[in-house]
């Protein structure tokens, strides 16, 4: 696990509390940490250098604010700079005045062009367009077939006059992608498709022949948008490659693919930095629907390794049933009504969101608990589930029922020791108490069921006040003194105006 | 909707606390329970090859009924089976390719090393060179530190010596004497099994195809298992490769259980007494637990018929620091025995393998050098480092 920038900076600044202004030495130390953090996020070195220069300038002149400690302040500057670079101008697809709009895809091998063609096709179709996919990748064996299948899944017409390098590729002359692309656009005009997406073969920046071919395709179809597809996992080579494509083909927009992995995606910054081209889309999964417009603030948090609340929430929404969650919210508020059965359900939903440590890592302020997080093993979820499943429905409803002999039975049933069952029950009660406290202090509407009508209206206003309360609330009493100040308001940097409770202040029940 | 979000956060945190507390203890308990050799423990609980994994959001296709994989014999009378060139002289071309990818990077380094005095700035430049090759902050720092110490001890001053020293350090860092042979010799009654794994788009299928050519060129007989039943046309792609050299491809219907396809491929290989079975798997991001479980299952199921001799992780040379996480997770799930570094013919240097070697000790065994059918070569630390330094 990488140390996050916030963690590093907290360390660097422990001795600097109370200073009014950052000294040059402080700034040097800070810049070193930022440099490492950015490099670990795969931001290209030239971009890092320039970026640090900008941050150094701003940090030097900045008056230290009273609200933030020096570390937080620097992070704030860094975050703001990142967002600015990443999203200076968010831009939509430019559509041609007279259809068809031609979109050309280019990129390295394996960056996800063919898949993206399908995704883009489906996305555009959902918006009422009638896209046509052109299979101009005649290089990779069966790329044409892949596009055809993808097009079928997306319900989009595919223009593939040439089979490409398919089985027995020895037969027939090699196809001419330029001709295919040109014919495709003509075909689109004839068939009244208003958008054409040209899928080209993957190519390396140093391959002059292939780059010339890409340029020829570009000249033949005169694209309104040329999208450069780049893998979010790409490292320092991002700059070289982006430059090669910029010079060889020229692109008007960038698509970041495979963002569903845990790569920090510093490439986004590098490419933006080098070419100044906006990032239009982000591709986040293998399904055709896993495709979205790019969010600069989220990317900034991600590069810095800060909590990514928005992504977490989105993932949660995908895995948790909304009605179910609402019902759960009510239960949580009352505290006692929350049963082991509910807990099991939640746990299973949670499991669907991916490895637990990843999910937890997305919560702001969890950085300081990194060691503890590393300990969280997903198989523990299964074990816990096994124990709960060995209980009768009655026991799950009311865990107080579970006496000694029942415990022995449950232990036998789930293949664990009685001690573990004991622990689970104890921890459940403790967790339930904790949840009730948190829920109460955060103002879940269920807690004030009587004025539910107003609840929705007042949530926003009410929460502002409650953020502080969550920190000072009942749980705060258990926080040991000397815990480093969390990211607090900072961590929610991606969500302006929506303060989140400072989770780092929570103390997990320890043995 | 907002309170729903809060509720979810509460549950997440509660679950974490809930588990976090118990972890320390269960860990210890687990360790005590495990017998000293964990491999035997695993084989005892081997699942049935037709077991069905509960559908997860990662792979909705898994829920589809699983038809028995149908075997398509390639047309063995195809007019011209290509006879790939033997591997022996590939290294020469490898050097030429690597040389092509030289950039200003190496030249910059040479300039640094040529300076009169090695000041702080010079060391920083050396480190930067390594960083730009994706070596990673920790590895680069370590290498430079060792180099500094050695120059001080040896009193090296001339650029030539220094460069040699650096290259020596790098070769050492990547493991000069690691065993890089590919274990593809058949067992007495069963073929050698090679499993190819990796994230999406690194070139697994292509590597499989190229590897089949290499093996056939070296006189082995090969069966290909197209266990990538997810990506559109992946099996076709592999079959195209196989048909060219007359290797049989075992494939299942789209969305079939990949483990059953892999099992079938090995079974076919055993029946036909071929030497090597190459199993191509679907690309999967290491963060998708459902898919990683599926991969674990593929390996377990294949192991029912005998050991998996090689598990090759395909890493893209352009991959940055995430490559280490990838390697770590894949090694955990399927215990990788080697790495194939692909797309090395571009400008990317693939320095991430230093970090992988340093942390996991998994050696790079093969390198992919281009789209040509025979652009796969054995890995040579020296040549690789030379290319890195330019």
């Amino acid at each position: 696990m990488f140390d996050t920038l916030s963690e590093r900076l907290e360390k660097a600044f422990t001795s600097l509390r109370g200073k009014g202004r950052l000294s040059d030495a402080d700034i040097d130390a800070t810049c070193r940490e930022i440099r490492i953090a950015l490099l670990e996020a795969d931001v290209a070195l030239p971009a890092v250098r320039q970026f640090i220069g900008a941050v150094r300038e701003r940090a030097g002149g900045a008056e230290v604010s009273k609200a933030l400690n020096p570390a937080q302040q620097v992070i704030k500057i860094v975050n703001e700079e990142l967002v600015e670079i990443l999203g200076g101008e968010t831009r939509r697809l430019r559509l041609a005045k007279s259809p068809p709009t031609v979109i050309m895809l280019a990129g390295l091998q394996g960056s996800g062009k063919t898949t993206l063609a399908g995704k883009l096709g489906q996305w555009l179709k959902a918006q009422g367009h009638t896209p046509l996919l052109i299979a101009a990748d005649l290089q990779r064996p069966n790329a044409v077939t892949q596009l055809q299948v993808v097009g079928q899944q997306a319900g989009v017409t595919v223009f593939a006059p040439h089979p490409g390098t398919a089985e027995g590729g020895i037969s027939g002359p090699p196809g001419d992608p330029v001709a295919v692309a040109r014919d495709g656009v003509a075909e689109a005009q004839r068939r009244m498709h208003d958008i054409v997406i040209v899928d080209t073969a993957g190519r390396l920046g140093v391959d002059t022949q292939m780059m010339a071919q890409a340029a020829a395709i570009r000249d033949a179809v005169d694209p309104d948008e040329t999208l450069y597809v780049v893998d979010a996992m790409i490292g320092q080579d991002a700059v070289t490659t982006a430059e090669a494509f910029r010079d060889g083909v020229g692109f008007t927009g960038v698509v970041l693919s495979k963002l569903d992995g845990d790569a920090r995606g510093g490439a986004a910054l590098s490419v933006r930095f080098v070419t100044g081209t906006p990032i239009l889309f982000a591709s986040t999964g293998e399904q055709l629907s896993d495709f979205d417009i790019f969010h600069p603030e989220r990317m900034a948090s991600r590069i810095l390794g800060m909590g990514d609340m928005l992504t977490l929430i989105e993932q949660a929404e995908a895995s948790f049933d909304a009605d179910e969650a609402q019902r759960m919210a009510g239960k949580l508020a009352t505290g006692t009504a929350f049963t082991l059965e509910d807990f099991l359900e939640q746990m299973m939903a949670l499991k669907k969101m991916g490895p637990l440590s990843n999910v937890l890592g997305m919560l702001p302020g969890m950085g300081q608990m990194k060691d503890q997080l590393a300990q969280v093993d997903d198989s523990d979820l299964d074990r816990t589930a096994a124990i709960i499943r060995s209980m009768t429905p009655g026991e799950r409803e009311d865990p107080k029922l579970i006496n000694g002999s029942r415990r022995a039975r449950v232990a036998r049933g789930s293949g664990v020791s009685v001690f573990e069952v004991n622990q689970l029950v104890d921890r459940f009660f403790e967790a339930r108490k904790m949840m009730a406290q948190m829920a109460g202090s955060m103002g879940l509407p269920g807690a004030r069921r009587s004025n539910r009508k107003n609840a929705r209206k007042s949530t926003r206003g009410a929460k502002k006040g409650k953020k502080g309360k969550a920190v000072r609330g009942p749980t705060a009493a258990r926080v040991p003194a000397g815990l480093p100040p969390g990211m607090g308001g900072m961590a929610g940097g991606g969500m302006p105006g929506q303060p989140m409770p400072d989770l780092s202040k929570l103390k997990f029940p320890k043995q | 909707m907002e309170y729903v979000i809060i509720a979810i956060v509460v549950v997440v945190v509660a679950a974490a606390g809930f588990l976090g507390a118990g972890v320390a203890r269960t860990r210890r308990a687990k360790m005590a329970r495990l017998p000293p050799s964990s491999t035997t423990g695993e084989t005892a609980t081997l699942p049935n090859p037709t077991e069905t994994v509960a559908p997860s959001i990662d792979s909705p296709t898994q829920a589809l009924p699983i038809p028995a994989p149908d075997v398509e014999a390639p047309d063995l009378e195809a007019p011209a089976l290509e006879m790939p060139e033997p591997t022996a002289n590939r290294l020469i071309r490898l050097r030429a390719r690597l040389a092509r990818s030289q950039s200003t990077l190496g030249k910059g380094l040479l300039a640094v090393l040529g300076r009169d005095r090695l000041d702080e700035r010079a060391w920083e430049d050396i480190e930067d060179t390594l960083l730009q090759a994706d070596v990673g902050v920790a590895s680069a720092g370590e290498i430079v530190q060792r180099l500094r110490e050695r120059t001080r001890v040896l009193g090296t001053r001339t650029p030539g010596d220094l460069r040699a020293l650096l290259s020596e350090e790098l070769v050492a860092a990547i493991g000069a004497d690691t065993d890089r042979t590919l274990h593809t010799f058949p067992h007495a009654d069963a073929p050698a099994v090679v499993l190819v794994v990796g994230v999406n788009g690194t070139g697994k299928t292509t590597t499989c195809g190229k590897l089949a050519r290499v093996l056939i060129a070296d006189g082995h007989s090969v069966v290909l298992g197209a266990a990538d039943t997810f990506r559109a046309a992946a099996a076709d792609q592999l079959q195209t490769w196989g048909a060219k050299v007359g290797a049989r491809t075992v494939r299942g219907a789209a969305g079939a259980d990949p483990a059953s396809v892999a099992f079938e491929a090995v079974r076919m290989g055993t029946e036909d007494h071929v030497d090597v079975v190459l199993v191509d798997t679907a690309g999967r991001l290491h963060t998708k637990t459902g898919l990683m479980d599926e991969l674990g299952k593929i390996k377990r199921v294949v192991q029912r018929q005998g050991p998996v001799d090689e598990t090759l992780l395909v890493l893209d040379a352009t991959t940055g620091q995430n490559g280490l996480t990838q390697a770590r997770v894949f090694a955990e799930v399927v215990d990788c025995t080697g790495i194939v570094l692909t797309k090395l013919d571009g400008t990317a240097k693939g320095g991430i393998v230093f970090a992988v070697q340093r942390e996991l000790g998994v050696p790079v065994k093969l390198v992919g050098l281009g789209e040509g059918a025979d652009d796969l070569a054995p890995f040579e630390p020296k040549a690789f480092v030379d290319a890195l330094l330019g």
Side-chain angles (χ1 to χ4, degrees), chain A residues 376-447:
Chain A
V376 177
D377 186 347
D378 281 66
S379 63
D380 288 323
L381 279 178
D382 294 334
R383 295 169 62 75
T384 312
I387 298 176
I388 297 178
R389 286 198 174 119
S390 298
M391 297 175 181
T392 65
E395 285 165 351
R396 292 184 211 176
E397 282 301 318
D398 183 10
K400 287 202 176 92
L401 266 182
I402 310 175
N403 58 21
S405 75
R406 281 174 191 260
R407 276 171 206 223
R409 193 202 76 239
V410 170
R412 261 200 321 281
S414 52
V416 297
S417 64
V418 179
F419 180 67
E420 273 172 80
V421 179
N422 282 343
Q423 266 217 322
L424 181 121
V425 175
D426 291 348
R427 274 187 274 128
F428 174 73
F429 284 125
E430 213 169 314
R432 191 159 80 173
K433 217 165 29 184
M434 189 172 92
M435 284 195 305
Q437 282 168 347
M438 275 180 70
S441 60
M442 270 194 247
L444 284 177

Side-chain angles (χ1 to χ4, degrees), chain B residues 240-263:
Chain B
T240 306
W241 278 103
K244 278 192 199 165
V245 288
R248 216 169 186 198
T249 307
V250 177
R251 50 185 296 180
D257 179 19
S260 79
V261 178
F263 184 88

Side-chain angles (χ1 to χ4, degrees), chain B residues 166-183:
Chain B
L166 177 59
S167 128
E168 219 174 274
E169 277 303 328
L170 288 173
V171 171
I174 207 161
D177 46 1
T178 359
D179 177 22
R180 295 184 197 278
T181 48
L182 212 53
H183 301 284

Side-chain angles (χ1 to χ4, degrees), chain A residues 313-335:
Chain A
I313 289 164
E314 267 181 10
Q315 278 191 16
E317 274 171 0
S319 327
F320 289 84
D321 182 353
D323 295 337
E324 186 63 18
Q326 202 163 336
R327 193 175 62 81
M328 209 54 65
K331 281 200 167 189
L332 283 178
T334 49

Side-chain angles (χ1 to χ4, degrees), chain A residues 131-135 144 146-152 155-161 187 193:
Chain A
L132 174 73
L133 307 184
I134 299 180
V144 173
Q146 189 188 347
L147 189 70
Q148 276 166 338
V149 175
V150 163
Q152 203 181 359
V156 176
T157 325
V158 178
F159 179 73
E187 170 85 5
H193 289 283

Side-chain angles (χ1 to χ4, degrees), chain A residues 45 54 146 224 227 283 331 337:
Chain A
L45 198 56
Q146 189 188 347
D224 301 282
L227 299 182
S283 165
K331 281 200 167 189

